[in-house]
Amino acid sequence: MPIDTGPLQSASHQSWGRYPKASQRIKPMFWPSEGFSVDLQDGKVLCQGLARSYGDACLNDGGTLLDTTGLDRFIAFDEATGILRCEAGVSLAEILRVFVPRGWFLPVLPGTSFVTVGGAVANDIHGKNHHVAGSFGNFVRRFCLRRSDGQTLLCSEDCNAEVFRATIGGLGLTGMIEWVEIALKPVTNAWIDVETIRYDGLDDFFRLSEESERRFEYLVAWVDSSATGNSLGRGILIRGNHSADIHLRSQPPGAGAALDMPFDLPSFVLNRFTIRLLNFGYYHKQLRRFSRAIVPYRPFFSPLDGIGHWNRMYGKGGFLQWQCLVPVAEGRKAFREILATVARSGLASFVSVMKTMGSIPSLGLLSFPGPGVTLALDFPNVPDSFKLLTRLDDLVADAGGRIYPAKDARMSAGHFQRFYPQWRNLERFRDPMFSSSLWRRLTGEAA
Ligand SMILES: Cc1cc2nc3c(=O)[nH]c(=O)nc-3n(C[C@H](O)[C@H](O)[C@H](O)COP(=O)(O)OP(=O)(O)OC[C@H]3O[C@@H](n4cnc5c(N)ncnc54)[C@H](O)[C@@H]3O)c2cc1C
């Protein structure tokens, strides 16, 4: 029988991109066994992890957020199989902190480790190893889902299989994930052998990616989004493998953020001109075309985790992230057009990342990852960015691709329903008390 966990706190809330803002009641969760009860006056509910989604996937304007970060306990670990069971509010950073010194690593890591296991399942996150590993959901063995009627469902590929698939990449809409079992993988040490290659344009990117996919577990490219002409798509390709050196066993130092952005930068600091300059500087900072190093895993996987509150760089108004996936066959042509459109707009993105994805199918009903090429860009929250991104959505739709909801704050319902025609199937599994700002925006569901 669910019991109430105490008075609700009201708060104005935002996600990592700081746009949009939402006003919602927050209900901290500490024990999964407490369950939750929500009065109708509290509106719809939604779980929130570490709010590292960029837009409104983790917001519930006018409703209630269940803050699951208090569900942060490890439950069991099997040394023989590497299967870890933990509560859904445990962060990936915490798993790495505890398990890397014991010789285990996460099978999939996104560009930040400050993400909860529940958030990783709900967005079926992907990492630099998608071409060989697939996405997070591929490593989820079981989880326990609590519904608003007090029912708990054990879900796996063999048990409540449809709910299992609807919850992976299900945008938090099927209920509250209490705990998850994931398969960790063994590593020799905490270091990565890395190669960094400066390349000249889009054709080079595709050639280098194809060659690297065969030999490297991790692969990603930073792209100079302001480059044009023959240099369109130029950037720095980073590829790596776990080091197998048995003499390097220790955990590299430095958990958490080493630097902090203590205040909001005025919005004029990151403008078209300075971002172009930063792009130019970053591209040319790699003096040699090729370099090789052995680096600790943290800066390799999540370089921005070293700067606390880096999202303040865009000022109080926040910024917009945009990530697309375009099928392989259309990839080159579509990416040429997308990058040329960005360059022509005069708006430049600083954190621009491009990657070829693999063909291992995602388990989730609505998962974003799939075969093709992905590009992530960010832009200041100004009217011109909205216009540009709608144009880019059109190009992605024409190429048969899709946009990542975890990073979205503004795509239209029409685009979403074209990108994810299976969205109505999710409605069959959605908990009737659960909804989000994103879901209402993209499906027209009433609050
Ligand atoms: C710097 C940076 C880099 C990133 N890089 C990547 C990347 O490389 N690849 C990638 O895929 N993503 C990436 N992301 C996005 C991020 O991984 C996802 O948005 C992730 O889901 C955030 O997890 P969270 O714990 O912050 O969840 P939140 O953002 O708080 O919530 C995300 C979703 O999970 C649901 N949810 C959370 N907990 C539960 C629960 N217990 N039960 C049910 N639903 C729950 C929420 O309702 C919401 O729908 C990046 C984000 C940042 C800020």
Side-chain angles (χ1 to χ4, degrees):
M1 183 68 187
I3 56 162
D4 205 314
T5 49
L8 300 174
Q9 307 151 19
S10 261
S12 168
H13 234 69
Q14 59 196 12
S15 61
W16 192 247
R18 310 178 83 192
Y19 172 84
K21 315 267 188 254
S23 176
Q24 50 214 348
R25 286 163 291 272
I26 314 288
K27 192 163 195 160
M29 301 299 297
F30 296 107
W31 301 99
S33 56
E34 285 172 331
F36 50 88
S37 75
V38 180
D39 297 331
L40 283 179
Q41 68 188 38
D42 296 334
K44 294 282 169 79
V45 294
L46 182 75
C47 291
Q48 189 181 71
L50 281 164
R52 279 335 196 257
S53 297
Y54 281 85
D56 50 2
C58 61
L59 299 179
N60 190 18
D61 196 29
T64 299
L65 277 184
L66 305 174
D67 173 357
T68 58
T69 52
L71 305 179
D72 59 356
R73 282 150 289 235
F74 291 114
I75 302 170
F77 182 63
D78 183 338
E79 290 269 3
T81 59
I83 304 278
L84 167 69
R85 187 192 302 179
C86 64
E87 289 179 355
V90 172
S91 72
L92 302 189
E94 183 62 5
I95 295 177
L96 293 171
R97 189 186 70 76
V98 171
F99 284 92
V100 172
R102 291 164 176 77
W104 295 94
F105 207 79
L106 279 159
V108 170
L109 255 184
T112 174
S113 59
F114 301 134
V115 159
T116 62
V117 170
V121 173
N123 277 322
D124 193 11
I125 58 167
H126 60 276
K128 296 176 178 58
N129 59 351
H130 186 272
H131 59 286
V132 288
S135 52
F136 197 83
N138 294 106
F139 298 89
V140 172
R141 296 292 172 260
R142 305 194 288 173
F143 54 76
C144 178
L145 186 73
R146 183 176 287 265
R147 306 272 293 182
S148 60
D149 60 6
Q151 230 193 335
T152 51
L153 299 177
L154 191 63
C155 303
S156 69
E157 288 225 69
D158 306 318
C159 178
N160 294 310
E162 283 193 307
V163 187
F164 182 69
R165 285 176 174 254
T167 302
I168 293 174
L171 302 168
L173 297 169
T174 60
M176 183 179 84
I177 305 167
E178 286 188 0
W179 56 257
V180 184
E181 269 183 14
I182 36 175
L184 304 186
K185 65 177 182 186
V187 287
T188 310
N189 58 52
W191 298 78
I192 308 289
D193 289 322
V194 185
E195 292 184 4
T196 312
I197 304 165
R198 181 154 55 84
Y199 66 88
D200 294 334
L202 214 45
D203 287 337
D204 280 349
F205 163 77
F206 283 107
R207 187 183 48 72
L208 270 172
S209 291
E210 200 181 329
E211 174 220 310
S212 308
E213 278 175 6
R214 288 191 290 273
R215 294 190 292 123
F216 292 88
E217 186 173 355
Y218 301 108
L219 179 61
V220 73
W222 169 85
V223 187
D224 176 355
S225 64
S226 57
T228 54
N230 288 341
S231 302
L232 193 75
R234 75 178 179 184
I236 295 174
L237 185 121
I238 301 149
R239 57 192 193 183
N241 286 317
H242 285 279
S243 159
D245 186 340
I246 51 164
H247 303 295
L248 284 173
R249 287 205 68 85
S250 64
Q251 167 79 310
L259 303 169
D260 192 61
M261 179 70 74
F263 51 81
D264 296 308
L265 274 191
S267 51
F268 61 79
V269 175
L270 271 193
N271 58 37
R272 295 164 192 229
F273 179 69
T274 51
I275 294 177
R276 276 160 176 272
L277 217 61
L278 284 168
N279 269 292
F280 184 84
Y282 193 82
Y283 180 71
H284 288 283
K285 98 177 165 45
Q286 162 121 349
L287 296 176
R288 278 179 297 145
R289 201 163 260 278
F290 176 87
S291 69
R292 186 177 280 154
I294 174 159
V295 301
Y297 72 84
R298 273 196 208 97
F300 176 77
F301 286 101
S302 30
L304 290 170
D305 282 0
I307 310 170
H309 302 106
W310 66 260
N311 57 344
R312 290 178 174 165
M313 276 195 297
Y314 277 99
K316 277 200 173 67
F319 62 105
L320 304 168
Q321 258 265 343
W322 180 88
Q323 183 169 355
C324 71
L325 175 75
V326 173
V328 185
E330 303 293 332
R332 283 176 197 240
K333 189 167 157 276
F335 269 55
R336 211 168 279 290
E337 187 128 19
I338 289 168
L339 288 167
T341 306
V342 172
R344 265 200 311 274
S345 75
L347 287 162
S349 152
F350 183 53
V351 183
S352 315
V353 175
M354 194 151 74
K355 165 162 182 57
T356 47
M357 309 276 271
S359 56
I360 297 171
S362 294
L363 294 183
L365 178 61
L366 227 65
S367 290
F368 166 75
V373 199
T374 186
L375 172 69
L377 303 168
D378 58 20
F379 295 100
N381 174 14
V382 295
D384 281 356
S385 300
F386 283 78
K387 275 190 228 146
L388 169 67
L389 294 180
T390 303
R391 172 81 194 106
L392 299 187
D393 291 349
D394 287 337
L395 293 175
V396 171
D398 291 345
R402 52 184 177 260
I403 301 293
Y404 192 10
K407 303 215 170 163
D408 179 64
R410 29 71 30 210
M411 81 170 118
S412 69
H415 273 126
F416 171 72
Q417 293 175 21
R418 190 164 163 197
F419 296 143
Y420 297 90
Q422 73 280 31
W423 71 272
R424 280 183 204 282
N425 295 347
L426 185 63
E427 286 290 359
R428 278 178 49 220
F429 303 99
R430 184 158 70 91
D431 186 305
M433 285 304 293
F434 275 65
S435 183
S436 64
S437 296
L438 173 129
W439 196 246
R440 291 188 288 276
R441 174 168 61 84
L442 297 179
T443 67
E445 187 221 3

